[in-house]
Amino acid sequence: MLPSISRPLRVAIIGAGPAGFYTAEVLFQSGVSLEVHMFEKLPAPFGLVRYGVAPDHQKIKNVIKVFEKTASDKRFFYFGNVTIGRDLSVQELKKFYDAAIFCYGAEADRQLGIKGEGLKGCYKASQFIGWYNGHPQFADEEFDFSHETAVVMGQGNVAIDIARILCSTKEELAKTDICQHALDMLAESKVKEVHIYGRRSVAHVAFTPVEIREMGNLQDCCPVVDPADLVLAPDSIKDLEELANAFRKKDIEILRSFTAMSQGGRKRKFFLHFNRSPVEIIGVSRVQKARFEINEQGKPSGKYEEIECGSFFTCIGYVGEPIEGLPFLPQKGIVPNLKGRILEGEVPVKGSYVCGWIAQGASGVIGTNKLRAQETIHSLMEDLALLPGCETPDTKEMLDLFKSRGVFAVTFIDWKKIDAYEVMMGSNLGKPREKLIRVGQMISVADGSYKQKGTLSS
Ligand code: NAP
């Protein structure tokens, strides 16, 4: 099909996170006559920016202004609270759209696969982050902070986010958009020590300088680093000179500065441990200890050590999950693709594309998605003349289908009502916003029913 003003290209984007919004932005810049319809399983847009970025990183959330500009384009339509693969199948989606671009991210936690991982007090990164960031799926999670020692496994930025939240004071968190239920619980936390573990040496950490530096600037927490861990092997010294490792070189400088820090009057401590592979989480009814094998020169040494702890957070990366009707590579947790074209075996699936973490795996920063979106849209533009065109270019028919299935599709105007409500609730508490943590609450603000009832639905 060749798009025209009278018959614009109908593009569906599945997922309203950074990859989805950058994909829409790049599409609008393409010069092709088109409409973008964005689908999101939750009522609220912005995915990882709303539900993943730490609440004390408000500046990173400023990217929402860029996304809102994209959403203000008259060719943009938003359908929140619609799950593709449940409310509308992939097959049905293809009936209504000439091209579908899947940008639904990687939300499942990678598993350690060790004994004791399911014990009470063992938490996945997504559980804790989702809980303090108001993700409806995690609204009812329960956490115990009545102990003094927490272990965080993994040395990426997610691990640092979790450690920082655990080590922050109530005052530091109160001015953020952390959910009130989390703020109240964390304010009562008895955790005094947070221990981050990595299985490799300091030359292989995955966190970045801005994030590790913040650990030295907390009000009531002091970082503790063993200088012996910062002695580098000759191979590592060479590797760290590579441009791709520049961030690690900077990380190590920052960690060196930590060795000179004194605790002062700060009550909490944040420890970094290297060359420790987790082998077991030990406990009777809940986690009591974690056991690690010590690695020497990058190899297991057969020597072990244990730490007593009351909680164990697994932060070892995320993987994507399949949607029925889409090819999927379970070993990598991605949708197989070549430059954004979804592949069935070796063959591109006509009109089906992918972008972001579900295409490449969970890596990079928010801005990385813009480059990835450019690549995917370049592929789509190359394929334009080959697209067969959809069977039913009729949005009303699709909306009727939603109605018949009892699906309330949230528009962007609806979302702006929810947004305004949250900001108003937040201002009462001296915060940027207080998030609605239940889908029903958001819908009752979107459809105005809370005004008649005088209360939010649950
Ligand atoms: P990540 O950067 O991939 O880090 C994962 C960590 O887990 C690594 O230290 C890795 O060590 C370790 N690990 C993996 N499998 C393991 C296993 N089986 N046993 C022990 N350790 C294991 O993942 P992430 O922290 O989840 O972050 C995901 C992405 O989001 C990253 O690109 C990150 O930079 C980004 N992010 C950015 C920010 C920010 O900019 N402020 C905040 C949060 C997240 P090995 O290297 O040994 O595998």
Side-chain angles (χ1 to χ4, degrees):
M1 73 158 295
L2 285 174
S4 62
I5 294 176
S6 59
R7 172 61 172 89
L9 183 77
R10 289 170 60 83
V11 184
I13 292 180
I14 298 88
F21 271 99
Y22 282 127
T23 297
E25 185 186 322
V26 177
L27 276 167
F28 290 146
Q29 290 161 352
S30 68
V32 170
S33 174
L34 49 80
E35 278 182 8
V36 168
H37 294 202
M38 185 179 274
F39 294 84
E40 166 58 50
K41 70 176 176 186
L42 292 170
F46 312 134
L48 191 78
V49 179
R50 177 175 163 96
Y51 292 118
V53 170
D56 56 343
H57 280 175
Q58 289 296 312
K59 273 198 195 141
I60 297 181
K61 297 188 189 216
N62 281 340
V63 72
I64 284 178
K65 293 197 185 105
V66 177
F67 300 160
E68 281 177 332
K69 188 161 175 273
T70 300
S72 69
D73 193 297
K74 59 182 188 321
R75 299 167 290 176
F76 179 90
F77 300 86
Y78 179 70
F79 303 102
N81 196 38
V82 177
T83 301
I84 300 300
R86 186 194 68 191
D87 302 326
L88 194 70
S89 72
V90 170
Q91 221 39 50
E92 287 169 327
L93 187 77
K94 287 184 177 171
K95 198 177 127 192
F96 294 111
Y97 294 94
D98 306 313
I101 310 177
F102 292 85
C103 307
Y104 64 94
E107 290 188 313
D109 298 84
R110 199 175 272 143
Q111 309 275 325
L112 277 172
I114 60 172
K115 203 173 155 203
E117 207 173 355
L119 276 173
K120 230 173 161 190
C122 290
Y123 310 117
K124 309 273 178 241
S126 66
Q127 268 179 298
F128 186 50
I129 293 174
W131 174 73
Y132 65 60
N133 271 338
H135 191 302
Q137 188 186 335
F138 303 103
D140 297 316
E141 293 289 342
E142 286 179 11
F143 296 89
D144 180 351
F145 304 118
S146 62
H147 51 275
E148 294 198 348
T149 304
V151 165
V152 178
M153 186 66 230
Q155 289 185 329
N157 281 331
V158 165
I160 297 292
D161 277 351
I162 287 185
R164 195 178 63 255
I165 296 296
L166 291 172
C167 291
S168 293
T169 60
K170 184 180 178 190
E171 292 68 38
E172 282 169 317
L173 295 175
K175 52 183 188 268
T176 76
D177 67 355
I178 192 166
C179 290
Q180 197 59 35
H181 61 252
L183 179 62
D184 292 342
M185 259 207 81
L186 287 163
E188 298 299 317
S189 165
K190 300 279 181 287
V191 173
K192 280 202 182 128
E193 290 189 0
V194 174
H195 293 255
I196 283 207
Y197 281 83
R199 59 183 172 179
R200 296 196 285 161
S201 83
V202 69
H204 301 98
V205 292
F207 49 69
T208 42
V210 173
E211 282 62 35
I212 191 64
R213 189 179 288 113
E214 284 176 312
M215 293 307 298
N217 294 331
L218 294 175
Q219 233 172 41
D220 201 21
C221 176
C222 183
V224 181
V225 181
D226 182 348
D229 283 330
L230 305 183
V231 178
L232 299 166
D235 280 0
S236 297
I237 295 173
K238 210 166 126 230
D239 288 351
L240 289 169
E241 289 312 316
E242 284 175 24
L243 198 60
N245 286 329
F247 75 95
R248 293 198 171 103
K249 205 172 160 189
K250 189 80 199 151
D251 284 338
I252 295 169
E253 275 172 37
I254 295 164
L255 294 176
R256 285 220 164 89
S257 73
F258 286 175
T259 60
M261 279 177 80
S262 72
Q263 193 166 353
R266 286 172 287 194
K267 285 200 278 300
R268 285 185 171 135
K269 287 185 190 168
F270 159 70
F271 294 79
L272 280 140
H273 304 268
F274 303 93
N275 297 307
R276 302 289 186 272
S277 291
V279 289
E280 187 179 352
I281 304 164
I282 301 162
V284 180
S285 59
R286 56 168 300 114
V287 50
Q288 288 168 315
K289 284 186 212 170
R291 184 170 161 82
F292 296 89
E293 179 163 16
I294 300 167
N295 299 316
E296 289 172 352
Q297 276 109 45
K299 294 194 179 69
S301 68
K303 297 175 205 158
Y304 296 85
E305 70 178 26
E306 290 179 357
I307 178 169
E308 285 190 18
C309 57
S311 57
F312 186 103
F313 294 82
T314 304
C315 313
I316 60 164
Y318 296 112
V319 286
E321 287 182 300
I323 289 186
E324 204 185 319
L326 270 195
F328 190 71
L329 285 182
Q331 319 87 288
K332 293 189 174 170
I334 60 166
V335 171
N337 69 98
L338 186 65
K339 296 186 178 173
R341 290 180 181 94
I342 295 185
L343 299 176
E344 183 86 71
E346 305 275 291
V347 186
V349 183
K350 270 202 178 120
S352 296
Y353 301 84
V354 70
C355 181
W357 280 10
I358 192 59
Q360 257 103 6
S363 65
V365 293
I366 286 166
T368 315
N369 290 292
K370 179 133 186 200
L371 291 174
R372 292 174 176 173
Q374 283 162 346
E375 183 178 63
T376 296
I377 299 312
H378 184 76
S379 296
L380 168 60
M381 292 300 146
E382 278 187 350
D383 299 348
L384 220 49
L386 304 171
L387 297 179
C390 68
E391 195 185 304
T392 318
D394 182 356
T395 309
K396 186 175 172 305
E397 197 171 309
M398 184 184 71
L399 293 178
D400 288 344
L401 202 60
F402 289 161
K403 217 175 251 174
S404 72
R405 293 176 180 174
V407 177
F408 179 92
V410 170
T411 64
F412 212 75
I413 293 173
D414 292 334
W415 154 247
K416 291 306 286 177
K417 291 185 211 162
I418 300 169
D419 183 39
Y421 185 90
E422 289 186 345
V423 171
M424 184 263 294
M425 294 299 283
S427 76
N428 295 340
L429 297 160
K431 300 160 84 179
R433 73 172 60 236
E434 184 59 33
K435 287 180 194 161
L436 294 173
I437 58 169
R438 311 242 174 227
V439 170
Q441 294 174 337
M442 287 191 245
I443 302 297
S444 68
V445 172
D447 69 8
S449 61
Y450 83 104
K451 287 188 186 150
Q452 283 109 53
K453 286 192 210 145
T455 174
L456 292 172
S457 303
S458 58

